Amino acid sequence: MSKTSWTKIDEILTGKKTGKTVNTRGWIYRTRSSGNIIFTVIRDSSGLLQATIKKGNLPNKEFDDAKKALIESSLEIKGVVKEDKRAPGGYELQVTTVNILNFAEPFPIVKDQSPEFLLDQRHLWLRSQKLGSILKIRSTVVGAIHNFFRGQGYYEFDAPILQPNQCEGGSTLFEVRYYDKKTYLAQTWQLYAEAAIFSLEKIYNMAPTFRAEKSKTSRHLSEFWMAEMEAAWMDLNEVTKVAEEEVQFILKEVLKRNKKELEVLGQDIKKLEKISKSKFPTITYTDALKILEEKENMNIKWGKDLRTIEEEKLMKHFETPVIITNYPLKIMAFYKPKDPKDPKTALCFDMIAPDGYGEIIGGSQRSLNVEEMTERLKASGENIDNYQWYFDLRRYGSVPHSGYGLGVERLVSWICGLDNIKDAIPFPRTVLRYRP
Ligand code: 4AD
Ligand code: MG
């Protein structure tokens, strides 16, 4: 049997195949027929191609099959590539052979359906041009994160997903029955990463992360992917630099590889290009309150966390992401240390994305003070016994260290300009949704 060589649609759309006979395969994206001619748009993972199927150019049985086939039917076709300015992408295939592999049933997704319906049909909606484009960008983002850290000598280090401790506050823990005991799903990789830096010094990871976020927002998932790093000998200043470089690196990779997808999503490529080459301003929480007061007439009491509305108003004054440091110590997690120069605040930072996408990164220098951490954990009702292993890291050759976590879906949402974070992950889990 001779082996067919298959041509991907994007190759046909380069023009290199014009005048040649090619075999291609994929799914019917849309189709209409009038009499003896069928105009079918075929989709594969690389693009869309118009195929013109004329009775007489192929066996009648094949013509009849093509006429019967509904959208999302899978097929193999053969034909001659012709340039045609009117066709999407500028080329069309004049078909001489059609082999329908699977005659699809009427596809449940048609135009103008509600977001909830589309989420129920997520397993099918993944084929849409929109989700396909997002998934490709997500793949670039994830690859870029690995390349960024590996390129700078970081080791990839894995932590358990089942963890007995909280790190970011008990209220968002997901409890899991663990034989006859209980444990939790990882809220972060951080505590275990802090153990590993004494062996590997510079490490990173990207893993599923779980938060029982009870409120419905366009920014919160119950299961998301966090890309985290932790490094020995690094202070707050140095770690914020790494965060800035990481985001710029990722943006540049997306701009290099995914212009087509950004266009499908209607993103402003020029704007993203500018951001990828700009310095990100660093301000303190206190500066942020000043900007809100002076420019937005908003009086936020010092000590209150910045809410979505405040972040949005603040970001009206910036075109790039902004790094905000020195949040009030009181509202910060137990491991964020006091800033000796401004003891009401912590040596911590968030990176806030422009255009209302909010916090994409959270990080800090790490406290080395067992007494202070003990007090803060006790104040939030934690059992200190569970943290003794973590405190050991301060007892045996402790060094200054810092780290941060980047929300992969938050970043993808911002880069893709999505209305809701749910579209940044293939099968979203939120307070109201855990299937399909
Ligand atoms: O700011 P967070 O809570 O920081 C930590 O967990 C640290 N332990 C990380 C570290 O220092 N290693 O979370 C980090 C980032 C946030 O900035 C946000 O982008 C994302 O994770 N994130 C969420 N993304 C989607 N849905 C949620 N429910 C999220 N919660 C946090
Ligand atoms: Mg945070």
mmCIF file of all heavy atoms in Angstrom, residues 167-168 187-190 211 213 219-221 224 226 228-230 335 350 359-364 366 403-407 410 421, ligand 1:
data_model
loop_
_atom_site.group_PDB
_atom_site.id
_atom_site.type_symbol
_atom_site.label_atom_id
_atom_site.label_comp_id
_atom_site.label_asym_id
_atom_site.label_seq_id
_atom_site.Cartn_x
_atom_site.Cartn_y
_atom_site.Cartn_z
ATOM 1 N N CYS A 167 -0.992 27.771 53.320
ATOM 2 C CA CYS A 167 0.094 28.740 53.154
ATOM 3 C C CYS A 167 -0.494 30.108 52.883
ATOM 4 O O CYS A 167 0.014 31.114 53.322
ATOM 5 C CB CYS A 167 0.998 28.307 51.999
ATOM 6 S SG CYS A 167 2.345 29.435 51.640
ATOM 7 N N GLU A 168 -1.609 30.128 52.164
ATOM 8 C CA GLU A 168 -2.204 31.402 51.735
ATOM 9 C C GLU A 168 -3.545 31.656 52.435
ATOM 10 O O GLU A 168 -4.424 32.307 51.883
ATOM 11 C CB GLU A 168 -2.410 31.394 50.218
ATOM 12 C CG GLU A 168 -1.121 31.226 49.434
ATOM 13 C CD GLU A 168 -0.124 32.361 49.640
ATOM 14 O OE1 GLU A 168 -0.564 33.496 49.884
ATOM 15 O OE2 GLU A 168 1.083 32.082 49.578
ATOM 16 N N GLN A 187 -2.253 24.717 47.664
ATOM 17 C CA GLN A 187 -2.592 26.130 47.420
ATOM 18 C C GLN A 187 -1.419 26.834 46.771
ATOM 19 O O GLN A 187 -1.545 27.904 46.212
ATOM 20 C CB GLN A 187 -2.778 26.817 48.783
ATOM 21 C CG GLN A 187 -4.139 26.927 49.290
ATOM 22 C CD GLN A 187 -4.133 27.730 50.584
ATOM 23 O OE1 GLN A 187 -3.168 27.754 51.342
ATOM 24 N NE2 GLN A 187 -5.243 28.382 50.839
ATOM 25 N N THR A 188 -0.265 26.224 46.907
ATOM 26 C CA THR A 188 0.982 26.783 46.374
ATOM 27 C C THR A 188 2.080 25.738 46.538
ATOM 28 O O THR A 188 1.959 24.828 47.351
ATOM 29 C CB THR A 188 1.376 28.080 47.124
ATOM 30 O OG1 THR A 188 2.673 28.514 46.688
ATOM 31 C CG2 THR A 188 1.452 27.867 48.631
ATOM 32 N N TRP A 189 3.129 25.912 45.772
ATOM 33 C CA TRP A 189 4.299 25.014 45.812
ATOM 34 C C TRP A 189 5.339 25.527 46.804
ATOM 35 O O TRP A 189 6.296 24.855 47.147
ATOM 36 C CB TRP A 189 4.796 25.013 44.384
ATOM 37 C CG TRP A 189 6.164 24.679 43.949
ATOM 38 C CD1 TRP A 189 6.603 23.452 43.534
ATOM 39 C CD2 TRP A 189 7.279 25.568 43.726
ATOM 40 N NE1 TRP A 189 7.897 23.529 43.070
ATOM 41 C CE2 TRP A 189 8.341 24.824 43.178
ATOM 42 C CE3 TRP A 189 7.474 26.945 43.933
ATOM 43 C CZ2 TRP A 189 9.576 25.377 42.833
ATOM 44 C CZ3 TRP A 189 8.694 27.505 43.594
ATOM 45 C CH2 TRP A 189 9.735 26.719 43.053
ATOM 46 N N GLN A 190 5.085 26.734 47.254
ATOM 47 C CA GLN A 190 6.123 27.520 47.913
ATOM 48 C C GLN A 190 6.809 26.865 49.115
ATOM 49 O O GLN A 190 8.035 26.855 49.196
ATOM 50 C CB GLN A 190 5.523 28.864 48.334
ATOM 51 C CG GLN A 190 6.531 29.760 49.029
ATOM 52 C CD GLN A 190 5.853 30.942 49.687
ATOM 53 O OE1 GLN A 190 4.877 31.457 49.172
ATOM 54 N NE2 GLN A 190 6.380 31.365 50.828
ATOM 55 N N ARG A 211 -7.783 26.473 44.868
ATOM 56 C CA ARG A 211 -8.309 27.445 45.844
ATOM 57 C C ARG A 211 -9.817 27.366 45.825
ATOM 58 O O ARG A 211 -10.445 27.537 44.771
ATOM 59 C CB ARG A 211 -7.901 28.876 45.484
ATOM 60 C CG ARG A 211 -6.415 29.095 45.310
ATOM 61 C CD ARG A 211 -5.770 29.730 46.517
ATOM 62 N NE ARG A 211 -4.316 29.717 46.362
ATOM 63 C CZ ARG A 211 -3.544 30.800 46.220
ATOM 64 N NH1 ARG A 211 -4.097 31.994 46.252
ATOM 65 N NH2 ARG A 211 -2.244 30.688 46.095
ATOM 66 N N GLU A 213 -12.367 29.254 46.039
ATOM 67 C CA GLU A 213 -12.768 30.662 45.975
ATOM 68 C C GLU A 213 -14.285 30.668 45.898
ATOM 69 O O GLU A 213 -14.851 30.235 44.906
ATOM 70 C CB GLU A 213 -12.189 31.341 44.729
ATOM 71 C CG GLU A 213 -10.685 31.207 44.562
ATOM 72 C CD GLU A 213 -9.907 32.266 45.331
ATOM 73 O OE1 GLU A 213 -10.535 33.054 46.075
ATOM 74 O OE2 GLU A 213 -8.669 32.286 45.191
ATOM 75 N N ARG A 219 -12.029 36.440 37.399
ATOM 76 C CA ARG A 219 -10.583 36.254 37.576
ATOM 77 C C ARG A 219 -10.218 35.037 38.396
ATOM 78 O O ARG A 219 -9.041 34.740 38.550
ATOM 79 C CB ARG A 219 -10.014 37.430 38.360
ATOM 80 C CG ARG A 219 -10.018 38.729 37.674
ATOM 81 C CD ARG A 219 -9.396 39.693 38.635
ATOM 82 N NE ARG A 219 -9.472 41.037 38.170
ATOM 83 C CZ ARG A 219 -8.995 42.062 38.860
ATOM 84 N NH1 ARG A 219 -8.422 41.850 40.022
ATOM 85 N NH2 ARG A 219 -9.094 43.267 38.386
ATOM 86 N N HIS A 220 -11.196 34.384 38.998
ATOM 87 C CA HIS A 220 -10.868 33.292 39.913
ATOM 88 C C HIS A 220 -11.305 31.935 39.399
ATOM 89 O O HIS A 220 -12.454 31.763 38.991
ATOM 90 C CB HIS A 220 -11.512 33.542 41.281
ATOM 91 C CG HIS A 220 -10.852 34.643 42.034
ATOM 92 N ND1 HIS A 220 -11.283 35.950 41.953
ATOM 93 C CD2 HIS A 220 -9.774 34.637 42.859
ATOM 94 C CE1 HIS A 220 -10.494 36.698 42.712
ATOM 95 N NE2 HIS A 220 -9.569 35.936 43.265
ATOM 96 N N LEU A 221 -10.402 30.989 39.468
ATOM 97 C CA LEU A 221 -10.705 29.594 39.180
ATOM 98 C C LEU A 221 -10.491 28.805 40.470
ATOM 99 O O LEU A 221 -9.724 29.230 41.336
ATOM 100 C CB LEU A 221 -9.747 29.074 38.112
ATOM 101 C CG LEU A 221 -9.904 29.671 36.713
ATOM 102 C CD1 LEU A 221 -8.664 29.390 35.877
ATOM 103 C CD2 LEU A 221 -11.159 29.123 36.042
ATOM 104 N N PHE A 224 -6.292 26.076 39.031
ATOM 105 C CA PHE A 224 -5.551 26.849 38.033
ATOM 106 C C PHE A 224 -4.098 26.394 38.040
ATOM 107 O O PHE A 224 -3.712 25.548 38.852
ATOM 108 C CB PHE A 224 -5.660 28.355 38.309
ATOM 109 C CG PHE A 224 -5.088 28.796 39.636
ATOM 110 C CD1 PHE A 224 -3.826 29.376 39.716
ATOM 111 C CD2 PHE A 224 -5.811 28.634 40.810
ATOM 112 C CE1 PHE A 224 -3.291 29.786 40.941
ATOM 113 C CE2 PHE A 224 -5.279 29.035 42.039
ATOM 114 C CZ PHE A 224 -4.021 29.610 42.101
ATOM 115 N N MET A 226 -0.228 27.419 38.503
ATOM 116 C CA MET A 226 0.637 28.494 38.967
ATOM 117 C C MET A 226 2.075 28.161 38.569
ATOM 118 O O MET A 226 2.511 27.023 38.712
ATOM 119 C CB MET A 226 0.534 28.667 40.482
ATOM 120 C CG MET A 226 0.904 30.099 40.921
ATOM 121 S SD MET A 226 1.279 30.283 42.655
ATOM 122 C CE MET A 226 -0.288 30.026 43.419
ATOM 123 N N GLU A 228 5.710 29.017 39.561
ATOM 124 C CA GLU A 228 6.373 29.625 40.719
ATOM 125 C C GLU A 228 7.890 29.507 40.599
ATOM 126 O O GLU A 228 8.406 28.615 39.930
ATOM 127 C CB GLU A 228 5.905 28.939 42.017
ATOM 128 C CG GLU A 228 4.417 29.133 42.251
ATOM 129 C CD GLU A 228 3.924 28.510 43.560
ATOM 130 O OE1 GLU A 228 4.177 29.088 44.620
ATOM 131 O OE2 GLU A 228 3.275 27.454 43.505
ATOM 132 N N MET A 229 8.578 30.416 41.254
ATOM 133 C CA MET A 229 10.030 30.313 41.355
ATOM 134 C C MET A 229 10.429 30.626 42.788
ATOM 135 O O MET A 229 9.702 31.290 43.520
ATOM 136 C CB MET A 229 10.749 31.247 40.361
ATOM 137 C CG MET A 229 10.523 32.731 40.519
ATOM 138 S SD MET A 229 11.333 33.502 41.933
ATOM 139 C CE MET A 229 13.020 33.500 41.408
ATOM 140 N N GLU A 230 11.587 30.104 43.172
ATOM 141 C CA GLU A 230 12.130 30.388 44.497
ATOM 142 C C GLU A 230 13.644 30.393 44.344
ATOM 143 O O GLU A 230 14.188 29.559 43.605
ATOM 144 C CB GLU A 230 11.686 29.293 45.480
ATOM 145 C CG GLU A 230 11.934 29.595 46.946
ATOM 146 C CD GLU A 230 10.951 30.618 47.542
ATOM 147 O OE1 GLU A 230 9.811 30.717 47.068
ATOM 148 O OE2 GLU A 230 11.357 31.328 48.467
ATOM 149 N N TYR A 335 4.335 34.283 56.013
ATOM 150 C CA TYR A 335 5.742 34.121 55.636
ATOM 151 C C TYR A 335 6.346 35.387 55.035
ATOM 152 O O TYR A 335 7.519 35.430 54.688
ATOM 153 C CB TYR A 335 5.877 32.957 54.643
ATOM 154 C CG TYR A 335 5.068 33.177 53.377
ATOM 155 C CD1 TYR A 335 5.531 34.024 52.362
ATOM 156 C CD2 TYR A 335 3.821 32.582 53.210
ATOM 157 C CE1 TYR A 335 4.779 34.259 51.226
ATOM 158 C CE2 TYR A 335 3.065 32.804 52.067
ATOM 159 C CZ TYR A 335 3.549 33.646 51.082
ATOM 160 O OH TYR A 335 2.800 33.893 49.966
ATOM 161 N N ASP A 350 3.149 42.534 44.347
ATOM 162 C CA ASP A 350 2.212 41.990 43.371
ATOM 163 C C ASP A 350 2.551 42.641 42.041
ATOM 164 O O ASP A 350 2.977 43.800 42.018
ATOM 165 C CB ASP A 350 0.760 42.381 43.700
ATOM 166 C CG ASP A 350 0.139 41.479 44.755
ATOM 167 O OD1 ASP A 350 0.801 40.519 45.203
ATOM 168 O OD2 ASP A 350 -1.025 41.751 45.135
ATOM 169 N N GLU A 359 -4.204 41.238 39.397
ATOM 170 C CA GLU A 359 -2.941 40.649 39.860
ATOM 171 C C GLU A 359 -2.565 39.426 39.025
ATOM 172 O O GLU A 359 -3.312 38.459 38.980
ATOM 173 C CB GLU A 359 -3.117 40.244 41.329
ATOM 174 C CG GLU A 359 -1.887 39.607 41.925
ATOM 175 C CD GLU A 359 -2.176 38.938 43.276
ATOM 176 O OE1 GLU A 359 -3.093 39.354 44.005
ATOM 177 O OE2 GLU A 359 -1.462 37.966 43.586
ATOM 178 N N ILE A 360 -1.401 39.484 38.406
ATOM 179 C CA ILE A 360 -0.928 38.301 37.679
ATOM 180 C C ILE A 360 0.186 37.583 38.430
ATOM 181 O O ILE A 360 0.409 36.407 38.219
ATOM 182 C CB ILE A 360 -0.482 38.620 36.218
ATOM 183 C CG1 ILE A 360 0.476 39.802 36.158
ATOM 184 C CG2 ILE A 360 -1.696 38.878 35.341
ATOM 185 C CD1 ILE A 360 1.017 40.081 34.754
ATOM 186 N N ILE A 361 0.875 38.314 39.309
ATOM 187 C CA ILE A 361 1.955 37.701 40.090
ATOM 188 C C ILE A 361 1.860 38.161 41.536
ATOM 189 O O ILE A 361 1.544 39.322 41.803
ATOM 190 C CB ILE A 361 3.345 38.098 39.519
ATOM 191 C CG1 ILE A 361 3.548 37.484 38.130
ATOM 192 C CG2 ILE A 361 4.477 37.688 40.460
ATOM 193 C CD1 ILE A 361 4.920 37.761 37.510
ATOM 194 N N GLY A 362 2.138 37.251 42.455
ATOM 195 C CA GLY A 362 2.270 37.609 43.864
ATOM 196 C C GLY A 362 3.538 36.970 44.396
ATOM 197 O O GLY A 362 3.806 35.801 44.108
ATOM 198 N N GLY A 363 4.323 37.740 45.145
ATOM 199 C CA GLY A 363 5.557 37.157 45.663
ATOM 200 C C GLY A 363 6.133 37.959 46.800
ATOM 201 O O GLY A 363 5.575 38.983 47.207
ATOM 202 N N SER A 364 7.269 37.488 47.326
ATOM 203 C CA SER A 364 7.877 38.198 48.450
ATOM 204 C C SER A 364 9.271 37.664 48.735
ATOM 205 O O SER A 364 9.652 36.597 48.253
ATOM 206 C CB SER A 364 7.034 38.024 49.724
ATOM 207 O OG SER A 364 7.215 36.742 50.280
ATOM 208 N N ARG A 366 11.219 36.043 51.919
ATOM 209 C CA ARG A 366 10.636 35.135 52.905
ATOM 210 C C ARG A 366 11.121 35.460 54.309
ATOM 211 O O ARG A 366 12.320 35.753 54.501
ATOM 212 C CB ARG A 366 10.979 33.684 52.575
ATOM 213 C CG ARG A 366 10.744 33.266 51.139
ATOM 214 C CD ARG A 366 9.369 33.619 50.619
ATOM 215 N NE ARG A 366 9.118 32.979 49.319
ATOM 216 C CZ ARG A 366 8.079 33.244 48.551
ATOM 217 N NH1 ARG A 366 7.204 34.182 48.899
ATOM 218 N NH2 ARG A 366 7.901 32.607 47.418
ATOM 219 N N GLY A 403 10.717 34.525 46.369
ATOM 220 C CA GLY A 403 10.065 33.791 45.288
ATOM 221 C C GLY A 403 8.735 34.431 44.942
ATOM 222 O O GLY A 403 8.282 35.371 45.605
ATOM 223 N N TYR A 404 8.139 33.914 43.892
ATOM 224 C CA TYR A 404 6.813 34.415 43.513
ATOM 225 C C TYR A 404 6.052 33.372 42.714
ATOM 226 O O TYR A 404 6.616 32.357 42.275
ATOM 227 C CB TYR A 404 6.926 35.720 42.710
ATOM 228 C CG TYR A 404 7.626 35.611 41.379
ATOM 229 C CD1 TYR A 404 6.964 35.130 40.250
ATOM 230 C CD2 TYR A 404 8.955 36.009 41.243
ATOM 231 C CE1 TYR A 404 7.614 35.044 39.030
ATOM 232 C CE2 TYR A 404 9.610 35.927 40.021
ATOM 233 C CZ TYR A 404 8.933 35.448 38.913
ATOM 234 O OH TYR A 404 9.569 35.356 37.707
ATOM 235 N N GLY A 405 4.770 33.631 42.559
ATOM 236 C CA GLY A 405 3.919 32.755 41.758
ATOM 237 C C GLY A 405 3.191 33.567 40.709
ATOM 238 O O GLY A 405 2.681 34.661 40.987
ATOM 239 N N LEU A 406 3.180 33.039 39.498
ATOM 240 C CA LEU A 406 2.479 33.704 38.390
ATOM 241 C C LEU A 406 1.257 32.855 38.039
ATOM 242 O O LEU A 406 1.368 31.638 37.871
ATOM 243 C CB LEU A 406 3.432 33.808 37.192
ATOM 244 C CG LEU A 406 2.908 34.357 35.871
ATOM 245 C CD1 LEU A 406 4.071 34.980 35.094
ATOM 246 C CD2 LEU A 406 2.270 33.297 34.995
ATOM 247 N N GLY A 407 0.110 33.492 37.952
ATOM 248 C CA GLY A 407 -1.108 32.780 37.574
ATOM 249 C C GLY A 407 -1.148 32.615 36.058
ATOM 250 O O GLY A 407 -1.299 33.597 35.331
ATOM 251 N N ARG A 410 -4.328 33.871 34.487
ATOM 252 C CA ARG A 410 -4.445 35.337 34.555
ATOM 253 C C ARG A 410 -3.617 35.972 33.440
ATOM 254 O O ARG A 410 -4.048 36.916 32.782
ATOM 255 C CB ARG A 410 -3.931 35.852 35.904
ATOM 256 C CG ARG A 410 -4.760 35.395 37.091
ATOM 257 C CD ARG A 410 -5.745 36.451 37.525
ATOM 258 N NE ARG A 410 -6.522 35.994 38.659
ATOM 259 C CZ ARG A 410 -6.308 36.364 39.916
ATOM 260 N NH1 ARG A 410 -5.336 37.220 40.206
ATOM 261 N NH2 ARG A 410 -7.068 35.909 40.887
ATOM 262 N N ILE A 421 -11.708 34.537 32.801
ATOM 263 C CA ILE A 421 -10.548 33.644 32.960
ATOM 264 C C ILE A 421 -10.889 32.200 32.576
ATOM 265 O O ILE A 421 -10.001 31.416 32.248
ATOM 266 C CB ILE A 421 -10.017 33.731 34.418
ATOM 267 C CG1 ILE A 421 -8.619 33.105 34.533
ATOM 268 C CG2 ILE A 421 -10.995 33.087 35.403
ATOM 269 C CD1 ILE A 421 -7.902 33.409 35.823
HETATM 270 O O1 4AD B 1 -0.646 35.744 45.266
HETATM 271 P P1 4AD B 1 -0.743 34.266 45.463
HETATM 272 O O2 4AD B 1 -1.771 33.762 46.391
HETATM 273 O O3 4AD B 1 0.724 33.821 45.916
HETATM 274 C C1 4AD B 1 1.069 32.591 46.356
HETATM 275 O O4 4AD B 1 0.390 31.606 46.393
HETATM 276 C C2 4AD B 1 2.531 32.517 46.720
HETATM 277 N N1 4AD B 1 2.702 31.390 47.648
HETATM 278 C C3 4AD B 1 3.348 32.355 45.471
HETATM 279 C C4 4AD B 1 4.814 32.323 45.751
HETATM 280 O O5 4AD B 1 5.329 33.280 46.319
HETATM 281 N N2 4AD B 1 5.467 31.279 45.379
HETATM 282 O O6 4AD B 1 -0.945 33.569 44.053
HETATM 283 C C5 4AD B 1 -0.030 33.790 42.997
HETATM 284 C C6 4AD B 1 -0.759 34.089 41.711
HETATM 285 C C7 4AD B 1 -1.663 35.313 41.779
HETATM 286 O O7 4AD B 1 -0.925 36.491 41.554
HETATM 287 C C8 4AD B 1 -2.646 35.039 40.662
HETATM 288 O O8 4AD B 1 -2.068 35.399 39.415
HETATM 289 C C9 4AD B 1 -2.777 33.525 40.707
HETATM 290 O O9 4AD B 1 -1.649 33.027 41.389
HETATM 291 N N3 4AD B 1 -4.011 33.125 41.400
HETATM 292 C C10 4AD B 1 -5.122 32.692 40.795
HETATM 293 N N4 4AD B 1 -5.420 32.514 39.492
HETATM 294 C C11 4AD B 1 -6.637 32.035 39.176
HETATM 295 N N5 4AD B 1 -7.581 31.722 40.089
HETATM 296 C C12 4AD B 1 -7.324 31.868 41.412
HETATM 297 N N6 4AD B 1 -8.245 31.524 42.310
HETATM 298 C C13 4AD B 1 -6.049 32.378 41.810
HETATM 299 N N7 4AD B 1 -5.462 32.655 42.997
HETATM 300 C C14 4AD B 1 -4.226 33.097 42.732
#
